[in-house]
Amino acid sequence: MSESGPSQALRTLQLSEARWQAILDTARDAVICIDERGRVTLFNRAAEAIFGYAAAEVVGQNVKMLMPPPYATEHDQYIEKYRATGAAKAIGRIREVHARRKDGEVFPIELSVSEARAGDEVIYSAIIRDMTERQAMQSELTAARQLAHQRERLADIGAITARIVHDLGNPLAGVSMQAQLLLRRTRRDPETPAAALQEPATRIVEEVGRLDHLIKDFLDFARQQRLDLKQIALPPFLQRLIDMWHPVAAERDIELALEVMHEPPPLDADEVKLRRVLDNLVKNAVEAIDRGPGRVDLHVLAPLPDRVRIVVRDNGPGVPQTLQMFRMFETTKRDGSGLGLSIAKQIIDAHGGNIGYEAVVPHGAAFYVDLPTRPAHV
Amino acid sequence: MSTSPRAPRTCRETSVVVVVDEDTFRIALAENLRDDGHPVHDCPDPLAVGRLDDVDVVVTDYEMESMNGLAFADMVHATQPAIRIVLVTAYWTAEVEDALAARPFVRLHRKPVDYDALHAVVDGGADDTAAEEPRSRR
């Protein structure tokens, strides 16, 4: 015969109580309940472990004993305000705040508070997760990332330094060896005819010129690109570029042509710097073909009303796929510094534009420069 | 059986091949060596050097377009182990140091090169002292 009436209700209540107690006892997180005056009514085992208090030390006390300033001093006012206005700061949200252990240690917690009502009685329940270990791990992770970043930067600096030393060291070695040749010859025979010294001296001057060019490239790369914007009419600007390169191209049997597909809008740009970028692209195209017959075409497009695209296309051998050509020191040229395109990228970036490359089928290269007609952020 | 010590060569008998693709440096070094009486063959490309049968010393660059100088040194040493090899370089990284440490048959001169120091090695009088030895990485 089954139980019924009050004894069944009592048993159901006992079972429910036991179930909740089991849950509270095994929970990893602290569960703390307070009444509407802030007095602790429940303090589970995890709360004992986290805060270092026995439940008997806390139950009946104001919960602010578990809080460091400023939470401790503000808590009573907060409850009062909530009761008066219903404006909740913590209820229904998960917040990262700090709590205080019995030994006074302040530690990070994740706090979620809910509210329950039984008749006139209000219960606030807080689930508290100790974030000490997680924050320590995050700090370690952040420190490890910073260290890795720092090491990468040092490695980059090391690689760049080695490259600069190499690029300057080679012409310097040539100058030095030529100078030693001159000195040894003149010491051996003070009457050495000047004509015999001309070739070493010429080579010294050439190598010093190479060094000078390199140093200027490094300086250009290191210097922030400040623009002197002026309105440029692109067709005559590009025609002057073509006219300047025409003799060089013709000497190599390379045809150089300009095609303006649409009348582009006037462009606000730094004329000298943009000319430097395009000089670099045309020079690269001519040198890639080396000896003709070959062809280098400049196209001007206006893909959008406020942007222009300049394309320098050649039918040379193209660029190796592995070459990251806009990075420092990336070059396929024997005597190239590998700075030309990285400086070009800096200049175009400073205009708020974009420089890129597309392979040409069956062979060749197309470098494009996209520019806003009116740079916004310069 | 005993072997008599090899008679020291005079500098005029020491033939040198200079394999460096930096023209200014190669030409001047070759001229300096010729002025000192050495038969010198200079070549910008290690792949175009040809046979090294009567060569005593090879001076080569580290970074060259067609072949790395260390690979060239390995090739020379494998076929003609008696040839002294001098590597000149302006490239100085830990990787180069490690590569040189593994090749005791290569003597190193850092660019810019002091001709007299290099000539002492070419001359055979400074086998172990004049050349810069590869440094161990710290």
Side-chain angles (χ1 to χ4, degrees), chain A residues 49-53 65-66 99-107:
Chain A
I50 289 171
F51 284 90
Y53 288 106
M65 70 185 287
L66 305 175
R100 186 170 59 189
R101 300 189 213 275
K102 185 178 181 179
D103 62 8
E105 182 193 347
V106 176
F107 64 104

Side-chain angles (χ1 to χ4, degrees), chain A residues 103-358:
Chain A
D103 62 8
E105 182 193 347
V106 176
F107 64 104
I109 61 168
E110 192 177 84
L111 172 71
S112 93
V113 180
S114 61
E115 178 187 10
R117 289 182 184 272
D120 292 340
E121 202 172 333
V122 181
I123 302 165
Y124 301 106
S125 302
I127 296 176
I128 293 168
R129 179 163 294 175
D130 187 344
M131 300 293 284
T132 309
E133 276 184 29
R134 193 192 290 185
Q135 281 204 355
M137 281 169 64
Q138 278 175 342
S139 298
E140 279 176 27
L141 193 63
T142 304
R145 280 187 184 142
Q146 280 172 345
L147 190 65
H149 180 65
Q150 203 172 20
R151 282 183 179 154
E152 270 175 29
R153 277 199 63 216
L154 284 173
D156 283 349
I157 290 168
I160 288 169
T161 307
R163 190 73 216 185
I164 291 171
V165 166
H166 170 266
D167 286 0
L168 295 178
N170 265 333
L172 199 59
V175 168
S176 167
M177 195 52 75
Q178 292 285 356
Q180 290 177 75
L181 181 64
L182 279 176
L183 276 175
R184 286 166 55 81
R185 282 183 174 171
T186 49
R187 277 183 191 145
R188 186 177 296 130
D189 179 9
E191 304 301 317
T192 305
L197 307 177
Q198 265 189 1
E199 192 181 327
T202 303
R203 287 190 177 273
I204 286 173
V205 172
E206 284 171 359
E207 287 298 283
V208 169
R210 191 176 149 200
L211 274 168
D212 184 48
H213 186 74
L214 260 175
I215 289 166
K216 281 179 180 155
D217 272 358
F218 283 128
L219 283 174
D220 273 349
F221 186 82
R223 191 181 296 142
Q224 191 185 355
Q225 298 295 343
R226 292 188 184 182
L227 304 181
D228 179 17
L229 296 181
K230 284 181 185 148
Q231 196 169 78
I232 301 173
L234 269 179
F237 170 73
L238 294 174
Q239 190 57 53
R240 287 196 295 276
L241 176 82
I242 294 279
D243 292 344
M244 208 281 275
W245 280 99
H246 187 264
V248 179
E251 196 270 328
R252 297 180 182 225
D253 193 16
I254 296 168
E255 197 177 334
L256 192 56
L258 170 65
E259 190 176 351
V260 182
M261 298 183 76
H262 302 283
E263 188 62 33
L267 178 71
D268 282 354
D270 186 313
E271 187 169 348
V272 174
K273 288 195 165 71
L274 183 60
R275 175 63 187 261
R276 179 173 179 168
V277 171
L278 296 172
D279 272 338
N280 190 275
L281 295 182
V282 173
K283 178 172 176 279
N284 285 349
V286 167
E287 287 179 352
I289 296 169
D290 192 17
R291 290 285 154 194
R295 187 176 176 86
V296 176
D297 291 304
L298 265 77
H299 297 274
V300 181
L301 311 164
L304 293 169
D306 59 347
R307 289 189 90 81
V308 293
R309 169 172 280 205
I310 304 165
V311 182
V312 179
R313 183 193 302 264
D314 69 69
N315 64 351
V319 178
Q321 281 188 341
T322 51
L323 192 74
Q324 293 177 285
M325 62 200 88
F326 297 106
R327 287 187 61 181
M328 268 181 104
F329 306 129
E330 293 277 336
T331 182
T332 56
K333 295 181 196 167
R334 174 71 193 87
D335 289 326
S337 67
L339 290 172
L341 284 177
S342 44
I343 293 169
K345 184 175 184 331
Q346 278 188 337
I347 292 171
I348 298 304
D349 285 349
H351 280 84
N354 189 29
I355 184 168
Y357 163 78
E358 286 168 357

Side-chain angles (χ1 to χ4, degrees), chain B residues 65-112:
Chain B
E65 198 169 359
S66 66
M67 185 186 240
N68 177 280
L70 285 173
F72 179 58
D74 287 344
M75 198 177 78
V76 171
H77 186 67
T79 54
Q80 304 275 1
I83 292 178
R84 279 173 278 147
I85 303 168
V86 179
L87 185 92
V88 293
T89 184
Y91 221 166
W92 196 249
T93 62
E95 288 72 22
V96 177
E97 290 180 22
D98 288 349
L100 282 167
R103 291 170 176 81
F105 53 88
V106 176
R107 289 161 178 81
L108 175 75
H109 279 261
R110 198 186 316 191
K111 289 180 180 176

